[in-house]
Amino acid sequence: MVEQARATRPRGDTYGGLSREERAADRRARISQAALELFAARSYDDVTVAEVCARAKVAKRYFSDHFTDREDLLLSVQDQNDWLLAEVSAAAPKKPENLDALLRPMMTALVTMLDEHPDSARVIYVNAPLMELRRRGVLRKDAELIG
C-alpha cells in the first residue's frame, strides 16, 4: 500500500522521506521557533529576517513562502497568547464561592504557564514600538478574560 502511494506521487515530490507539504510545514515551524527564541532574547527591532532564517537553518527565500514580513512573523508568534488564555480559562471554577475562589486558580495557571514558557511569555508581552497597538490588544483581551 505504501509502495503504491509512493509510486503515484510525482517524481521529485518527496525528499528525505517527506512530502513537499511536510517539508514546508517543518520549515514554517523552524522559522517560528527561531523567531520565538530571538524575539525573547532581544528586542523586536534588533532581530532581522536573515538571523531568523540562519537560526532556523532555512534559506531566506523560504521565509516569504510563509510570512509577508518580520511584523507578520511576530504576529504569528504572538498569537500564542490564545493557548495561554485557554489554559487560564480552563482553570476557572464553574461556580466559585467568591472572587478569590475564581481568581486564585486562574492567576496560578497564568503564572505557572508564564514560568514554564518564558520565551513565549516575553514575546506575548513584547514591547516593540511597531507592535504597541497589538500589545495593548493582547493586554485588553487578558483583562476581558479576567473581568
Side-chain angles (χ1 to χ4, degrees):
M1 183 82 101
V2 173
E3 292 301 321
Q4 184 181 13
R6 285 185 183 155
T8 61
R9 283 186 181 164
R11 199 163 191 22
D13 193 40
T14 61
Y15 181 81
L18 299 175
S19 71
R20 184 171 291 145
E21 294 80 16
E22 290 168 328
R23 291 191 313 274
D26 176 63
R27 281 191 295 270
R28 182 182 175 87
R30 286 188 289 146
I31 291 169
S32 293
Q33 182 60 39
L36 174 67
E37 294 166 5
L38 289 169
F39 290 144
R42 300 198 321 257
S43 161
Y44 167 79
D45 294 327
D46 293 338
V47 176
T48 67
V49 169
E51 288 176 299
V52 171
C53 291
R55 186 171 199 131
K57 295 182 169 91
V58 170
K60 275 180 64 176
R61 69 184 181 93
Y62 290 117
F63 181 87
S64 61
D65 289 349
H66 304 288
F67 306 98
T68 55
D69 55 20
R70 190 174 53 139
E71 184 176 342
D72 183 38
L73 174 60
L74 180 59
L75 287 172
S76 172
V77 172
Q78 269 192 333
D79 281 341
Q80 295 179 29
N81 190 44
D82 292 341
W83 64 262
L84 182 62
L85 294 179
E87 290 289 327
V88 171
S89 294
K94 299 286 185 224
K95 295 183 180 183
E97 295 176 16
N98 55 41
L99 189 58
D100 185 60
L102 172 66
L103 293 179
R104 188 169 300 278
M106 293 174 72
M107 292 299 99
T108 299
L110 176 64
V111 170
T112 299
M113 294 302 292
L114 293 176
D115 184 53
E116 290 174 357
H117 304 280
D119 286 351
S120 294
R122 182 171 161 97
V123 172
I124 288 168
Y125 298 105
V126 70
N127 190 10
L130 291 175
M131 302 307 296
E132 185 60 23
L133 288 176
R134 169 77 174 163
R135 188 181 72 80
R136 287 181 189 175
V138 167
L139 292 174
R140 187 175 302 111
K141 200 172 176 182
D142 292 351
E144 288 171 1
L145 173 71
I146 304 266

